[in-house]
């Protein structure tokens, strides 16, 4: 339960960081470019926060290189969601990423836990 709550708290910080960067980049870039750049930068921060606080594990290059896989589904869902909200629903680009990101959270937790923790440690904590 602690991991889920910490993952949620890290997610809130990560989302705030992402959205802040997105709004900054939106001033100079098209919305999809702003989304992608903010997503990548916030994902790096998310890796270190999750390693330290959620999973209490040492960050390694292997985990760092695998961590983006945890966000592939998140990235695809949020990118598709942003596109649908902005281009198909014409709802505007300012809040689209926040709305689109909610659907991928549970999947991201499960996949990130598999990347960050060895199999025996995952099972003993579950």
């Amino acid at each position: 339960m602690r991991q889920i709550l910490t993952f949620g708290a890290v997610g809130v910080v990560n989302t705030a960081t992402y959205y802040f960067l997105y709004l900054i980049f939106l001033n100079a870039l098209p919305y999809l470019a702003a989304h992608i750049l903010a997503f990548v930068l916030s994902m790096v921060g998310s890796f270190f926060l999750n390693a330290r606080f959620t999973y209490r594990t040492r960050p390694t290059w292997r985990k760092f290189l695998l961590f983006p896989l945890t966000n592939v589904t998140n990235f695809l869902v949020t990118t598709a969601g942003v596109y649908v909200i902005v281009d198909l629903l014409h709802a505007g680009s300012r809040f689209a990423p926040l709305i689109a990101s909610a659907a991928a959270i549970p999947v991201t937790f499960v996949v990130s836990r598999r990347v960050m923790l060895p199999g025996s440690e995952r099972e003993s904590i579950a």
Side-chain angles (χ1 to χ4, degrees), residues 15-85:
T15 300
T17 301
Y18 159 79
Y19 191 57
F20 175 75
L21 292 171
Y22 173 76
L23 291 177
I24 289 172
F25 297 145
L26 191 59
N27 290 320
L29 301 170
Y31 76 89
L32 279 177
H35 165 68
I36 292 167
L37 186 56
F39 191 92
V40 168
L41 292 174
S42 66
M43 186 173 49
V44 171
S46 177
F47 168 75
F48 288 106
L49 290 173
N50 276 303
R52 172 71 174 100
F53 298 109
T54 303
Y55 304 112
R56 296 181 180 177
T57 187
R58 186 174 60 87
T60 64
W61 279 109
R62 181 181 185 283
K63 291 174 187 174
F64 182 76
L65 294 173
L66 288 174
F67 191 75
L69 297 176
T70 68
N71 288 294
V72 168
T73 300
N74 184 316
F75 178 77
L76 294 175
V77 170
T78 58
T79 302
V82 167
Y83 173 78
V84 167
I85 291 166

